[in-house]
Amino acid sequence: MNKDKRTLYVISVINFALLFSALFINIGKSSRIVAACILVPLAVINFLLIKKRRSLSINKKEVLTLMSVVAVLYVVLIQMTGLFFRFYKNPYFVDTERLLNTVIPLILIIAATEVIRYVALAQSDRFAGFMVYLTCVVSETLTFSNLVGITGFNHFMDLIGLTLFPAISANALYHYVSKRYGMAPVISYRMIMTLYIYFLPAKTGMEDALQSCIKIVFPIIMLAFVAALFEKQSKRVGKKSGAVGKFCSVVAIAFVVLMAMLVSNQFRFGALVIATDSMTGEINKGDVVIYERYETQRIEEGQVIVFKDQNTRIVHRVVRIDNIGGELRYYTKGDANNGLDIGYRVESDIVGLVNVKLAYVGYPTLMIRELIEN
């Protein structure tokens, strides 16, 4: 191994190690500031110590224009969903404090990440390319989860579902474009897609889970679109295996969309993992229940419902219904519990009516929870 390649490998590993360790160390500051403080010096070191560069594609201007226009259209379409999900006052609208603590660090993070990515990919080395991909995924996860230190199960699930999976998908697109057309299209695309939320007075009320799903699917579609427009398509012998791969990709995307729709509860049906033994018998710990969102349906004694108790959703059975002055009061109980739940539920507390049980499907989630909490 020559000196240049050894330098490349050492720097690639250091990049990843520093960012990955930041996920587990509770420094007590914003993760965006922490990420910026790590990434900017790393970008300078990468640019100065890794010397080799390569020429860009002749289509770089066209790709820059395409990705910028698509990013603007994406923002417009996302905002238009507010017509369905309602609009709310944007709590992230930029002010002096947010400009200094959030917007400027994000600009530095995006620029630094893309410099590191471009320099590494310019070497056409598989190991360096793989390590910089991991580095960029961790960087995006650290930045947009706004977590410094994984301190509990809820933090972990936020990191995995809302940030890590979208980061894996998005960085596949960024890698593809940066390697072929340079870092300018990626920087422009990321700036628009990331910073728009801080400059609009209103935001859509779309659930985070559904937005996460869109962020997983959209980069895959964008990658295919760029490849179809600018890459020469050659006929290959293995058409059958290619078709199988596309079919699997479509199935995987459809599954992700379905799960996001269920978890978000923005549509007719939702899903919930059973985390306790209170309903053991018909519904057991580790099962997943599919419930229909409650609107005006009639609820009868014996119906299993999902209701809110402070910030927790509980799945218990209705055992008694009283009508007090025109107000329906629902008394609930877990099948395995000895007594009734404390108090009663009213219509505003009810989230949904349980229709389907999927046995054991939720066990992986519970295992991760127990692993982190212990």
Side-chain angles (χ1 to χ4, degrees), residues 17-29 31 34 38 142 147-151:
L18 285 174
L19 285 166
F20 187 75
S21 63
L23 288 174
F24 299 91
I25 301 174
N26 195 341
I27 304 174
K29 296 181 180 180
S31 61
V34 172
I38 296 174
L142 177 64
L147 297 174
V148 181
I150 298 175
T151 57

Side-chain angles (χ1 to χ4, degrees), residues 156-340:
F156 180 80
M157 293 307 295
D158 282 346
L159 185 146
I160 295 294
L162 301 181
T163 311
L164 179 60
F165 288 162
I168 290 171
S169 177
N171 278 279
L173 169 64
Y174 304 155
H175 243 52
Y176 178 88
V177 173
S178 182
K179 185 173 183 179
R180 290 164 176 79
Y181 309 106
M183 59 181 168
V186 181
I187 291 177
S188 175
Y189 178 87
R190 291 188 66 186
M191 290 288 187
I192 296 170
M193 299 281 278
T194 302
L195 300 179
Y196 80 89
I197 190 64
Y198 302 104
F199 297 95
L200 297 176
K203 67 183 292 289
T204 176
M206 187 189 302
E207 284 283 338
D208 290 343
L210 191 56
Q211 290 194 50
S212 176
C213 169
I214 294 172
K215 291 176 182 178
I216 293 171
V217 175
F218 187 77
I220 298 172
I221 297 173
M222 186 64 185
L223 193 157
F225 185 51
V226 172
L229 282 179
F230 298 103
E231 294 293 318
K232 293 181 179 180
Q233 302 299 315
S234 58
K235 295 182 179 180
R236 294 185 173 89
V237 177
K239 289 185 178 179
K240 184 175 181 181
S241 61
V244 172
K246 290 179 180 178
F247 174 78
C248 292
S249 298
V250 170
V251 171
I253 292 172
F255 176 76
V256 171
V257 172
L258 175 62
M259 292 307 298
M261 289 172 64
L262 290 174
V263 172
S264 68
N265 195 33
Q266 285 292 328
F267 299 90
R268 183 176 178 183
F269 296 96
L272 193 66
V273 176
I274 303 302
T276 70
D277 295 312
S278 65
M279 287 292 290
T280 297
E282 181 175 337
I283 301 174
N284 302 310
K285 182 178 179 180
D287 293 346
V288 170
V289 294
I290 308 297
Y291 59 89
E292 182 180 6
R293 186 170 61 183
Y294 177 71
E295 292 174 346
T296 58
Q297 302 96 314
R298 179 181 173 83
I299 299 176
E300 299 180 352
E301 291 184 8
Q303 171 75 56
V304 178
I305 64 171
V306 181
F307 61 87
K308 294 180 294 185
D309 184 4
Q310 296 181 349
N311 294 323
T312 304
R313 292 184 178 183
I314 297 176
V315 178
H316 278 179
R317 191 180 304 279
V318 175
V319 295
R320 193 175 92 224
I321 303 174
D322 290 341
N323 189 329
I324 308 297
E327 179 186 64
L328 293 175
R329 297 181 178 180
Y330 300 93
Y331 295 84
T332 57
K333 175 182 176 297
D335 289 352
N337 293 345
N338 293 325
L340 296 177

Side-chain angles (χ1 to χ4, degrees), residues 24-142:
F24 299 91
I25 301 174
N26 195 341
I27 304 174
K29 296 181 180 180
S30 167
S31 61
R32 296 185 180 97
I33 295 177
V34 172
C37 291
I38 296 174
L39 282 164
V40 171
L42 286 178
V44 174
I45 292 171
N46 277 255
F47 192 82
L48 293 178
L49 295 185
I50 304 175
K51 301 294 184 180
K52 297 177 182 178
R53 309 284 184 268
R54 66 181 180 84
S55 59
L56 302 179
S57 165
I58 58 174
N59 295 317
K60 61 180 181 178
K61 292 183 179 180
E62 290 83 352
V63 175
L64 172 60
T65 301
L66 173 67
M67 294 194 68
S68 300
V69 170
V70 168
V72 172
L73 291 176
Y74 174 91
V75 171
V76 172
L77 292 174
I78 287 295
Q79 287 301 108
M80 286 179 63
T81 63
L83 298 174
F84 177 78
F85 295 106
R86 299 177 60 188
F87 288 104
Y88 296 91
K89 182 179 179 181
N90 186 5
Y92 307 111
F93 192 74
V94 69
D95 54 23
T96 302
E97 182 180 357
R98 185 162 282 113
L99 178 67
L100 295 175
N101 294 333
T102 301
V103 176
I104 291 176
L106 282 174
I107 293 172
L108 293 174
I109 288 168
I110 292 171
T113 302
E114 294 313 318
V115 168
I116 293 171
R117 188 196 314 271
Y118 170 67
V119 170
L121 292 179
Q123 316 311 311
S124 298
D125 184 278
R126 290 185 178 181
F127 178 78
F130 176 70
M131 289 305 301
V132 79
Y133 176 78
L134 293 180
T135 300
C136 292
V137 168
V138 172
S139 168
E140 194 156 342
T141 303
L142 177 64

